[in-house]
Amino acid sequence: SSGINAEWPLRPGEQYTDNLEELVAERSEQLAIEKEKADNLLCRMLPKPIAEKLKQGEPVAPQAYDEVTIYFSDIVGFTDLSSQSTPFQVVDLLNDLYSLFDGIVERHDVYKVETIGDAYMVVSGLPVRNGNRHVAEIANMSLDFLNFVKKFKVRHKPDVQLRLRIGLHTGSVCAGVVGLKMPRYCLFGDTVNTASRMESNGLPLKIHMSDDAYDALSKIGGYELESRGEIAIKGKGVMTTWFLLGKEKKLEESQLLTTLPTSSESNKSPSPNIVRSRSSSRRSVKRERPKQAVGPSETIISIDGTAVYKNKSAEDSEQNDSGQRNNGHNNGFLPSVNA
């Protein structure tokens, strides 16, 4: 009996210890889950290598990149479409479209920089350098976007065909984290401006690219490119530009990073001014570039180092809505230098 009396006072303490261990384990598991959610959210706002440095308290210094490829796109006629829709319908449209675009982005070695309004910006070649593959990554992604948007149905206007206008440019940039509250990973440099001008001077359902992007893509080979000729670009003068039509049928499997079907235009017989670029020969047959009529171009206003764009295409009369945009990329979410 004395043994039983000696053990009895310890039992409540043992039970309390067991309950405390269970509580600590449960709270630790909840903390780990919440930490993972916070880390995932941070990695959605910033590139993962940059986010990891910030989490460890390390400073993130701006870095220069000798060569990257930048993608810009917007929706031609978005202002008119918005005026015929309720605000909730506009939100649903952009969320439907860009959520699916985000899924395509995950399949390529690219980083989504920003979306504001109907503007969508992506870059390849930073923060992790990928050699000369950046231009092919952006080209493949652009073709995927174009193929997808042709089949996309607007929920409240199923008969409306969205007309995506895409611009690409290859060049050097400086990239860094800006701000403490809601920090953003921003790109700076004239390459950003030029890529935006390739988009604003492009055509609906076309991938418009600069001569620098064309040269970089030709070195890789396997794409059908069509010369647009020389056009006048505000602040740049006369530039030779190109249209990316699709991939060549005999593109080697090792060069493909996407399995989506290629554009139907790439299966048609090429016109005389189409350039076929092959990796085996690394040569292109260029046709005489016709002179293009010079139309109105965009106006660029720099406010505190931020480029504000009011764009009008030189060829597409339907792009008049560019100058009327509000809360889109005309409001200047693209920091720039030497604008």
Side-chain angles (χ1 to χ4, degrees):
S1 61
S2 60
I4 296 176
N5 292 336
E7 293 179 1
W8 174 252
L10 298 177
R11 289 178 180 175
E14 292 176 354
Q15 185 177 3
Y16 175 78
T17 302
D18 292 341
N19 292 340
L20 184 60
E21 290 177 352
E22 292 177 2
L23 182 62
V24 170
E26 182 182 349
R27 295 294 174 84
S28 298
E29 183 179 357
Q30 292 176 353
L31 179 62
I33 293 175
E34 294 302 320
K35 183 178 182 300
E36 183 179 2
K37 290 180 181 179
D39 291 345
N40 291 337
L41 181 60
L42 182 61
C43 290
R44 290 184 181 184
M45 297 176 59
L46 298 169
K48 190 172 181 179
I50 304 299
E52 291 296 333
K53 287 186 177 181
L54 291 177
K55 283 164 51 180
Q56 296 172 9
E58 299 179 9
V60 180
Q63 290 192 16
Y65 296 85
D66 293 335
E67 189 172 271
V68 302
T69 299
I70 297 178
Y71 164 103
F72 272 103
S73 68
D74 71 354
I75 301 171
V76 177
F78 180 74
T79 302
D80 293 336
L81 180 59
S82 298
S83 66
Q84 301 168 15
S85 310
T86 68
F88 289 101
Q89 289 173 335
V90 173
V91 171
D92 288 339
L93 163 61
L94 293 178
N95 187 55
D96 290 345
L97 180 64
Y98 289 150
S99 292
L100 293 168
F101 274 17
D102 291 347
I104 295 176
V105 164
E106 292 297 323
R107 304 180 59 189
H108 301 274
D109 183 14
V110 300
Y111 173 69
K112 174 185 170 183
V113 180
E114 190 69 272
T115 56
I116 291 186
D118 63 321
Y120 199 92
M121 179 183 180
V122 183
V123 63
S124 181
L126 62 80
V128 179
R129 293 173 173 83
N130 55 4
N132 66 346
R133 288 297 304 171
H134 51 84
V135 65
E137 297 286 347
I138 291 292
N140 292 342
M141 183 199 71
S142 300
L143 291 170
D144 288 350
F145 281 176
L146 203 58
N147 294 334
F148 169 79
V149 80
K150 291 176 181 178
K151 305 172 186 176
F152 180 80
K153 297 294 182 183
V154 180
R155 196 187 306 180
H156 65 285
K157 287 182 175 293
D159 296 332
V160 172
Q161 167 69 66
L162 290 184
R163 294 170 297 163
L164 195 67
R165 182 174 56 194
I166 298 173
L168 313 179
H169 178 59
T170 298
S172 60
V173 298
C174 177
V177 178
V178 177
L180 297 175
K181 187 176 182 180
M182 294 184 66
R184 304 303 300 173
Y185 188 69
C186 299
L187 310 183
F188 300 87
D190 191 59
T191 297
V192 178
N193 296 331
T194 304
S196 180
R197 293 169 195 178
M198 289 297 101
E199 176 270 312
S200 62
N201 287 274
L203 298 176
L205 298 177
K206 290 280 191 178
I207 302 173
H208 189 215
M209 60 196 309
S210 66
D211 205 35
D212 291 331
Y214 162 80
D215 289 340
L217 195 58
S218 296
K219 293 177 181 178
I220 294 178
Y223 296 87
E224 291 187 358
L225 301 153
E226 181 181 35
S227 173
R228 187 183 185 183
E230 296 179 338
I231 61 173
I233 304 294
K234 179 71 173 182
K236 295 291 179 182
V238 177
M239 295 182 64
T240 300
T241 62
W242 304 79
F243 287 123
L244 171 61
L245 303 182
K247 300 172 187 172
E248 290 186 354
K249 295 179 182 179
K250 296 182 179 180
L251 181 61
E252 296 178 2
E253 186 68 24
S254 61
Q255 293 180 330
L256 292 175
L257 295 182
T258 177
T259 57
L260 291 182
T262 58
S263 174
S264 58
E265 279 77 10
S266 64
N267 297 326
K268 297 179 181 179
S269 299
S271 57
N273 59 340
I274 286 181
V275 175
R276 289 184 175 270
S277 172
R278 299 187 182 276
S279 57
S280 58
S281 63
R282 301 293 176 93
R283 293 180 300 175
S284 300
V285 180
K286 298 185 180 180
R287 305 297 182 185
E288 182 178 357
R289 299 168 182 165
K291 297 288 184 179
Q292 299 290 329
V294 177
S297 302
E298 73 273 24
T299 301
I300 299 180
I301 306 172
S302 179
I303 302 176
D304 296 334
T306 300
V308 180
Y309 300 98
K310 294 183 178 179
N311 302 308
K312 291 186 179 179
S313 171
E315 293 187 23
D316 183 25
S317 61
E318 295 180 350
Q319 299 171 11
N320 292 331
D321 64 305
S322 298
Q324 304 171 359
R325 296 189 185 280
N326 46 38
N327 296 327
H329 78 281
N330 293 339
N331 284 341
F333 70 91
L334 302 176
S336 67
V337 295
N338 301 328

